[in-house]
Amino acid sequence: MHRLLQALPELPPERRREAALRYLQRPKRNFDDAECEAMISRVLAVLTEPRFAPLFSPGSRAEIAIVGRVGRHAVSGQVDRLVVTGKAVLIADYKTNRPAPRSLSEVPDAYIRQLALYCAVLVQLYPDRAVQAALVWTETMELMEIPGARLDAALADLTSP
């Protein structure tokens, strides 16, 4: 699923289903037709989620290094997906938890802190744009937006003396 989320946005929307099917039907994948169709449907639903559709549009980028400093914290990591638009910076990180969290309250704090630090670095680079973050759970192919207030609280906890 991670690989499909990485590669499919590079293709025109009309070619994504066919490319995903070819990838999933390769030898050694061992998925039956129903499994392939279910995975493809879930991936395509994430790619067209209206709130984060720009994240998977042409011009967005996969596997982007994030490096900077936030207070006393050196930040070095990699975001799975990033796009900079005229008004916002959107990022997504893919997570493989099984079972995937069903609500924001079930998300491990470490994931929220990680995204908070990435967003804080990006705010320094793009001070005139809103920065939004989401997690994509690869097991369920659900996109979970992390509210700015939750990111701000995590950052405040990290940077307080």
Side-chain angles (χ1 to χ4, degrees), residues 33-97:
D33 290 345
E35 290 171 315
C36 287
E37 280 306 315
M39 286 187 278
I40 291 168
S41 292
R42 290 193 320 249
V43 167
L44 293 178
V46 167
L47 296 182
T48 57
E49 165 63 44
R51 293 171 300 152
F52 278 78
L55 196 54
F56 301 104
S57 66
S60 64
R61 298 176 27 191
E63 308 295 330
I64 300 300
I66 302 286
V67 178
R69 182 165 283 291
V70 177
R72 67 184 192 283
H73 297 278
V75 179
S76 178
Q78 184 166 297
V79 68
D80 290 314
R81 200 87 202 163
L82 176 139
V83 67
V84 178
T85 70
K87 295 181 181 181
V89 177
L90 306 174
I91 62 170
D93 209 32
Y94 309 150
K95 299 297 184 188
T96 59
N97 295 44

